[in-house]
Structure formats: structure tokens, C-alpha cells
Amino acid sequence: MAGGPPPSEVQIRVLPHSSSRRSGGVRNLVHPVDEDSPALRRNAVGGVKHFKKWWPWLIPVFVVANTVMFVITMYVNNCPKNSVSCIARFLGRFSFQPFKENPLLGPSSSTLQKMGALRVSKVVDKHQVWLLITCIWLHGGVFHLLANMLSLLVIGIRLEQEFGFVRIGLLYIIAGLGGSLMSALFIQSNISVGASGALFGLLGGMLSELITNWTIYANKVAAFITLLVIIVINLAVGILPHVDNFAHIGGFLSGFFLGFVFLIRPHFGWVNQRYASPGYRANSVQSKFKMYQCILWLMSLIILIVGFTVGVVMLLRGVDANDHCSWCHYLSCVPTSRWSCNSQPASCSIESGIGSQLNITCVNNGKSGLYNLSNPSDSQIQGLCSQLCN
């Protein structure tokens, strides 16, 4: 998400998975080999080595880390002290910013910036490159956090069970970085937080895993089309205003190419030969991976290295990608008669009145308000400005 009050992000729906290579439907995208086949013998730990199940612990740790970061962010936010009005004041310093300022029930934009939200000017002018990573652990509100964490649990646990914590952990982090990088290149006037780029990376990895391990799947076309439709629908929702679709696209593309690198598996013929039961005659297979798998692995690795290098260099040089692509802004928001795509940050002029009165006027829309405030803090003024401009 990006912009003014942190907007809601898209909840990702995932494709249900199937349990067997020979079963019908597309219930399992990531564990297609039928280990119960009489042709395959189990290894010492009770399963086919290259398709063993992993115990998922990293994804739950990620969920806990994101939740803890949100609680810390709300503690730092301290709405009663820094804002004129709050939602759910009974929560004390954990109460939420006014709905007009943040409709997701969360902190202020200034607090998110303190905690490490992505602000392009800080990356370019102060070289705070780490903001590309820290922003994926922050969320704009309760709704934002719940949508992303539920999606992460549904997608991530299944993938970690099949591929292990190292590969899925790296895919999640690098895809999140890719989403942040693309967002920073195209949306430079607003802050960005959220894990949706990393989540779309997991979806991209699922798609490339299906392609590169094509030989071990049954119902290939049905699985491919179903997963592709789910991805297209979720990306299409990103054209709504206040949703950072560039983070979604960047995360998806990063995850897609990372899937060819991290999620490659031996083809079915090699597995069938290696784990064939005594007395079962399997066709002789020389190579562990097929030629197309190796080509996709190499090409994806090159694309990732070149893409990330060029992207970081462009960002640090302050390049605005919109200057080189006049139509790309439509990928993140398509204006209609029902909504506008204007996402300029709130800007206000302030005039002192009689006594402790302040006259605050939003420069964006001309709305103004008169407030009685004695020694107002910058956070209070910024919060009132955000409410006027929204």
C-alpha cells in the first residue's frame, strides 16, 4: 500500500492443492508425487527424499514478527498524546487514529515513517536502503495486518512444508525486496508499507514451480489455468485507488523468477528410476533435471541479478520510472467516474488565530478548519491536516 493514510491491500486467494499425482482436480500444486506408488521405495526416514515433508516453523515466526511489529508501532504511535481524537480510546496508547486519517484502524503516517516505512526521498537523499526491507514488516492497520497474515498462513505454510524454510524464507524476503524496489521506482510521493509484495512473490513462485516441474504433475493445464486466473484477478484488484499494485507486480515477478531458481525439482523419470522398488524395471534416465529446467534456471538467475542491480542503481540516482513509461501509472490505478487516482500526500497551510486558535487549510482540496490547541505537536497538526485532505 502507499499514500497518505495507509490503505487496505488485496487479500490473496490461493489455489487449493491436490494430494496425488494420479488424483483428479488441482487440489495439490506443490506435492504431486504419489509416494504410495508401488514403484517407489521409501528411504530410511519413511519418504521419497526429494519430496519429503518439512515441519513449517518459519512462516508462523514471520506472522508473529509482523504482529509484534504492529503492536510496537501502535505503542509508539500513542494516539491520545499525539492526536486530537482517537478511535477505541479505552485501549490507551494503543488506540487508533481517526477513521478519516486511517480507515484501516492503525497508526499515523508519521509513526510509520519513524518505524521504517518506505519513503523514496530517504532512500535517494540519505541512502537509507534498508527501508526497502523494513517496510515489508510494517502494516497500516488491523485490517491490513489480518488480510496479509491470513494469506501468508494459507500460502506460506503449505509451501514451507514442501520446500523447506530456507528456500521459502529466501523467496519471501527477496520477493518483498523486489516489490519495494518497483514501488519506489514508480510511486515516489507517498510512503509504502505492507507484506503484499512478498505474498505475491509466493504466488509467482507457485506458478514458476508448476512450469519448471511440469513433468511431475497430473492435470497440468487445469492447474496452470486455475492458478493463472487467481493471479490475474488479484492483480486486477490492484487497479483500485490507494492500492500499491507496483509492489504486487514487483513481488510477483521477483517470486516468479525465484521459483525457477529455488523450487526446481528432479523430473519424474529420474525420481522413478532412483527410488524404484527391487524388481521394478524403470527406463534408464541419465540427468537429474531436464534441459528446459536448466535453461530456465540460468535465464532466471541472470534476469534477477540484472534486474535488481539496474533497479537499485536507478533508485539511488533518483530516477522516476514514470518519466520513461507514460502509461505505466495505469497498472496501479485506473481512474473512473467513481474514483480518482490522485494520491498526492496531504499538504496544509497553518495560520495562527486568536489565543490558541489555529486555522488549518488543506492545499490539495481547499478545505479548512479552526481548532483550539495549546502547544500542539507536529503529529497533532499533521493528523488534522490528513483528516482535512481526505
Side-chain angles (χ1 to χ4, degrees):
M1 54 135 283
S8 172
E9 297 213 12
V10 179
Q11 181 174 356
I12 302 173
R13 295 185 296 274
V14 297
L15 182 63
H17 301 270
S18 79
S19 58
S20 167
R21 172 177 170 85
R22 297 176 182 175
S23 63
V26 289
R27 294 187 300 277
N28 187 357
L29 283 183
V30 291
H31 197 65
V33 170
D34 186 359
E35 293 186 17
D36 296 326
S37 171
L40 299 181
R41 58 181 169 85
R42 307 246 177 172
N43 62 12
V45 295
V48 177
K49 175 182 176 183
H50 295 276
F51 297 90
K52 71 175 184 178
K53 290 280 188 178
W54 296 76
W55 178 259
W57 63 268
L58 184 62
I59 293 300
V61 168
F62 282 171
V63 172
V64 171
N66 278 277
T67 304
V68 169
M69 282 303 304
F70 180 73
V71 173
I72 294 174
T73 302
M74 293 307 302
Y75 181 86
V76 173
N77 186 65
N78 196 2
C79 182
K81 179 181 178 180
N82 298 314
S83 300
V84 176
S85 61
C86 303
I87 297 177
R89 274 189 173 272
F90 64 88
L91 294 176
R93 66 185 299 150
F94 294 97
S95 55
F96 310 114
Q97 294 300 120
F99 192 75
K100 282 189 176 181
E101 182 181 351
N102 186 344
L104 300 180
L105 296 181
S108 65
S109 296
S110 59
T111 299
L112 288 171
Q113 290 187 63
K114 291 178 185 177
M115 297 299 295
L118 177 59
R119 169 72 76 174
V120 175
S121 59
K122 291 184 179 180
V123 178
V124 175
D125 300 331
K126 300 180 181 180
H127 300 290
Q128 297 180 4
V129 184
W130 59 85
L131 296 179
L132 294 169
I133 291 294
T134 58
C135 69
I136 70 176
W137 303 98
L138 300 174
H139 287 83
V142 174
F143 299 142
H144 187 196
L145 178 70
L146 287 175
N148 278 348
M149 293 306 99
L150 288 175
S151 299
L152 178 57
L153 285 172
V154 173
I155 301 173
I157 286 183
R158 180 62 65 89
L159 286 173
E160 188 180 349
Q161 285 178 329
E162 304 302 331
F163 296 102
F165 68 93
V166 174
R167 288 189 281 183
I168 297 306
L170 286 173
L171 195 154
Y172 181 86
I173 298 297
I174 299 174
L177 174 62
S180 298
L181 185 58
M182 180 165 280
S183 173
L185 288 171
F186 283 95
I187 302 178
Q188 304 194 345
S189 59
N190 300 309
I191 67 170
S192 180
V193 296
S196 63
L199 288 169
F200 269 84
L202 295 181
L203 278 177
M206 289 174 68
L207 181 61
S208 56
E209 191 273 332
L210 173 61
I211 294 173
T212 194
N213 300 324
W214 190 257
T215 62
I216 61 178
Y217 282 99
N219 303 307
K220 304 173 178 63
V221 177
F224 178 80
I225 293 176
T226 303
L227 182 55
L228 194 63
V229 167
I230 290 172
I231 293 169
V232 170
I233 290 175
N234 280 282
L235 288 173
V237 175
I239 66 175
L240 296 173
H242 303 303
V243 177
D244 186 358
N245 212 28
F246 286 115
H248 299 169
I249 295 171
F252 172 79
L253 291 176
S254 299
F256 180 72
F257 291 115
L258 285 167
F260 289 120
V261 177
F262 289 154
L263 308 184
I264 185 173
R265 278 175 157 168
H267 64 89
F268 188 76
W270 185 88
V271 174
N272 191 41
Q273 172 186 275
R274 184 175 180 86
Y275 295 98
S277 301
Y280 179 83
R281 299 182 60 183
N283 295 329
S284 177
V285 179
Q286 298 294 329
S287 61
K288 185 175 181 180
F289 302 104
K290 286 188 173 291
M291 179 61 69
Y292 80 89
Q293 290 179 295
C294 299
I295 293 174
L296 288 173
W297 185 93
L298 181 60
M299 291 179 59
S300 298
L301 185 62
I302 294 173
I303 291 172
L304 285 167
I305 294 173
V306 173
F308 273 91
T309 301
V310 172
V312 170
V313 170
M314 290 176 62
L315 178 60
L316 293 179
R317 290 184 176 181
V319 175
D320 186 345
N322 292 291
D323 295 337
H324 305 278
C325 182
S326 59
W327 56 268
C328 283
H329 63 279
Y330 291 117
L331 294 175
S332 187
C333 183
V334 176
T336 70
S337 58
R338 293 180 177 272
W339 64 71
S340 170
C341 291
N342 184 11
S343 59
Q344 294 180 351
S347 177
C348 294
S349 62
I350 304 172
E351 298 178 0
S352 299
I354 302 174
S356 59
Q357 289 185 337
L358 285 180
N359 185 17
I360 303 177
T361 303
C362 175
V363 175
N364 299 26
N365 57 25
K367 293 182 180 179
S368 62
L370 191 62
Y371 304 93
N372 288 312
L373 298 172
S374 56
N375 299 321
S377 64
D378 292 340
S379 297
Q380 288 178 315
I381 294 176
Q382 184 174 0
L384 293 172
C385 177
S386 296
Q387 294 181 50
L388 285 171
C389 292
N390 290 330

